[in-house]
């Protein structure tokens, strides 16, 4: 379970998050929507302590992680996987080594077992057999999927996805959406999906939160969002800028 | 007028103090990591190969040619005074106490400092450092400790290599080219060089290694602003490290001379 209570964060001279309250129940999936620059990635990074809140608290499985030291965060981070928006692959390592890294770090030593798990994770993102490629030789969408595989390979209890499907073709998008669904069902993982892709949102969400001007502007189920007549939400869902030609 | 100068000067001093504070903080975190976290041997060995082994060519060439030319210039002056045989002693003591450590450190800050800052800076702006942290790996353990330790291990050896080559090249120039008597050259050189000179060289080497390591890592870690930032990090690292080496060398010489006085007694 993930809880965010009264989270405030300023970066530079900009108040990015001003009082966020969220709950993601055990095994549930929260989709966070919001326009580019609304602070979705910053919010997500708070959930693994990559940012420390200026005010407020973040609780992961009941444990307050705000104010923990880097070394104390280590064990918690091994249970929470985060997919970075950029993929954030280690560019000095091959795809296979990127995926083996989290396994080795959590103490898995048997090379055969590691190889097996790496192949399995690559299979899940439709990249079977690409172990030996270097990240620089991958397309943007492939990097994203390798990043996802690296997040999944250690089977974390909580998974945070930062725009898992942006930059992917429609077919890959659909297969990732289904993968996220499958993981929810099979592993009962607690997930937060940041996206501005409505298909991904509707496909994966138990609940949806809409981030706007540093606050949670809306929080509810998919049906509630669809039924809403609030112009800001409607424009976002239907992709209208409100400008005329 | 006075006010303006005072203000500008104050600003520089404050920035300087802040920078020293940042380096001290990084150094503290590094020692903390060495104390509590298991050492990553494979990374350390890789870095020793990268930093120590592959820097040899630069250091060897620098040492040999500096020793050769320094010997020649000293000879040209001393010859007029009829002190040919003292050349070896001057060259050796200078190589040990100043030239060896300082030149090695300057070459290393160019070759190693720049690449450390660029590598860590790139990892910073491409979120790779955040990715490390997110996987529960402390970036200090994984990136900084292996590099700083590799520098601390390699630099004294490289300094020794630089000095050896410098003195060797000087010897060849003096005896083969300039016709100084071999026996006198050696005797004087050996009687004027002491264990204290060697200790001074090694201590300076270690001190410079730490400075290069922490400055380069600090510049890498604080890289921001994408490609432009990555371009600036190595330049900053080299400029700052070189200046700090030259300035701190002056003070180190005076300080260390208290414990390891020059001359033969
Ligand atoms: N490390 C940082 N330092 C300073 N400001 C930052 C940093 N990271 C993000 N910001 C600022 O915080 C705001 C929110 O950024 P964030 O990356 O969370 O947006 P986002 O909602 O994820 O957008 P996108 O959909 O484009 O990814 C932006 O204005 C950005 O400039
Ligand atoms: Mg983002």
């Amino acid at each position: 379970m993930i809880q965010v209570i009264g989270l405030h964060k300023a970066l530079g001279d900009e108040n990015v998050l001003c009082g966020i309250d969220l709950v993601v129940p055990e095994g549930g999936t929260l989709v966070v929507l919001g326009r580019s620059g609304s602070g979705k990635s910053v919010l997500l990074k708070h959930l693994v302590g990559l940012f420390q809140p200026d005010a407020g608290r973040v609780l992961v499985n009941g444990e307050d992680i705000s104010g923990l030291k880097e070394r104390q965060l280590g064990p918690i981070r091994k249970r929470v996987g985060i997919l970075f928006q950029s993929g954030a692959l280690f560019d000095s390592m091959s795809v296979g080594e990127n995926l083996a890294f989290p396994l080795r770090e959590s103490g898995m030593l048997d090379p055969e077992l590691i190889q097996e798990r790496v192949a399995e994770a690559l299979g899940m993102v439709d990249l079977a057999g690409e172990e030996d490629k270097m990240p620089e030789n991958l397309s943007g969408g492939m990097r994203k999927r390798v990043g996802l595989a690296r997040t999944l390979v250690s089977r974390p209890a909580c998974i945070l996805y930062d725009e898992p499907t942006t930059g992917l073709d429609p077919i890959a998008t659909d297969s990732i959406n289904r993968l996220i669904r499958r993981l929810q069902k099979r592993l009962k993982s607690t997930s937060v999906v940041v996206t501005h892709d409505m298909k991904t949102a509707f496909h994966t969400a138990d609940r949806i939160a809409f981030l706007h001007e540093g606050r949670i502007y809306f929080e509810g189920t998919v049906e509630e969002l669809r039924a809403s007549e609030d112009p800001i939400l409607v424009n976002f869902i239907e992709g209208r800028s409100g400008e005329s030609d | 007028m006075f006010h303006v100068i005072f203000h500008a000067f104050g600003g520089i001093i404050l920035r300087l103090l802040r920078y020293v504070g940042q380096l001290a903080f990084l150094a503290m975190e590094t020692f903390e990591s060495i104390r509590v976290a298991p050492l990553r041997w494979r990374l350390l060995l890789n870095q020793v190969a990268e930093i120590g082994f592959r820097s040899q060519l630069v250091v060897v060439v620098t040492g040999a040619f500096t020793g050769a030319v320094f010997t020649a210039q000293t000879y040209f002056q001393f010859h007029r005074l009829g002190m040919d045989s003292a050349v070896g002693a001057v060259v050796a003591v200078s190589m040990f106490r100043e030239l060896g450590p300082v030149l090695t450190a300057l070459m290393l800050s160019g070759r190693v400092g720049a690449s450390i800052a660029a590598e860590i800076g790139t990892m910073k702006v491409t979120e790779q450092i955040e990715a490390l942290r997110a996987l529960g790996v402390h970036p200090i353990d994984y990136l900084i400790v292996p590099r700083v330790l590799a520098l601390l291990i390699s630099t004294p050896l490289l300094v020794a290599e630089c000095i050896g080559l410098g003195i060797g090249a000087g010897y060849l120039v003096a005896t083969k080219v300039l016709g100084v008597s071999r026996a006198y050259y050696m005797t004087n050189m050996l009687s004027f060089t002491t264990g204290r000179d060697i200790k001074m060289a090694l201590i300076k080497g270690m001190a410079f290694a730490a400075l290069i390591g922490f400055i380069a890592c600090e510049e890498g870690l604080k890289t921001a602003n994408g490609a432009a930032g990555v371009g600036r990090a190595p330049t900053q690292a080299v400029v700052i490290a070189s200046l700090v080496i030259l300035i701190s060398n002056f003070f180190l010489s005076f300080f260390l001379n208290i414990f390891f006085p020059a001359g033969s007694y």
Side-chain angles (χ1 to χ4, degrees), chain A residues 12-208:
Chain A
D13 38 8
E14 185 190 2
N15 284 316
V16 181
L17 303 173
C18 353
I20 304 278
D21 293 285
L22 282 175
V23 180
V24 191
E26 195 71 43
T29 300
L30 177 76
V31 165
V32 178
L33 295 173
R35 300 202 43 191
S36 189
S38 57
K40 304 184 295 295
S41 299
V42 171
L43 173 60
L44 209 61
K45 286 178 183 174
H46 274 90
L47 304 184
V48 279
L50 291 173
F51 278 119
Q52 290 290 346
D54 294 341
R57 294 187 298 154
V58 176
L59 284 83
V60 176
N61 295 328
E63 190 177 350
D64 189 351
I65 66 162
S66 38
L68 284 191
K69 297 236 172 62
E70 193 71 16
R71 282 190 200 286
Q72 299 169 312
L73 282 165
I76 293 160
R77 285 172 173 162
K78 297 216 159 109
R79 283 181 272 124
V80 183
I82 178 168
L83 164 65
F84 286 86
Q85 191 168 354
S86 64
L89 301 181
F90 301 121
D91 52 21
S92 59
M93 302 180 196
S94 70
V95 168
E97 287 166 346
N98 260 284
L99 266 67
F101 185 82
L103 296 177
R104 289 213 186 94
E105 285 303 323
S106 46
M108 194 185 280
L109 292 173
D110 178 7
E112 270 173 41
L113 190 58
I114 290 177
Q115 208 181 354
E116 205 173 289
R117 289 279 289 272
V118 167
E120 180 198 53
L122 279 178
M124 284 200 268
V125 296
D126 292 328
L127 287 172
E130 305 277 14
E131 276 93 343
D132 294 333
K133 283 227 171 98
M134 292 304 283
E136 57 182 13
N137 302 328
L138 298 179
S139 76
M142 287 163 88
R143 276 174 208 221
K144 196 63 162 272
R145 285 183 285 155
V146 174
L148 183 54
R150 188 180 66 188
T151 310
L152 301 177
V153 73
S154 51
R155 298 179 184 158
C158 279
I159 310 177
L160 314 174
Y161 305 86
D162 197 345
E163 311 208 355
T165 55
T166 26
L168 301 190
D169 64 69
I171 293 168
T173 300
D174 188 57
S175 99
I176 296 296
N177 287 343
R178 283 173 203 283
L179 174 64
I180 295 175
R181 261 281 175 233
R182 265 207 318 279
L183 292 169
Q184 290 163 356
K185 287 214 191 86
R186 285 212 204 126
L187 304 180
K188 305 259 179 295
S189 59
T190 309
S191 350
V192 178
V193 183
V194 161
T195 187
H196 33 216
D197 185 271
M198 296 315 297
K199 260 221 177 101
T200 302
F202 290 146
H203 202 102
T204 55
D206 291 332
R207 292 182 76 79
I208 295 189

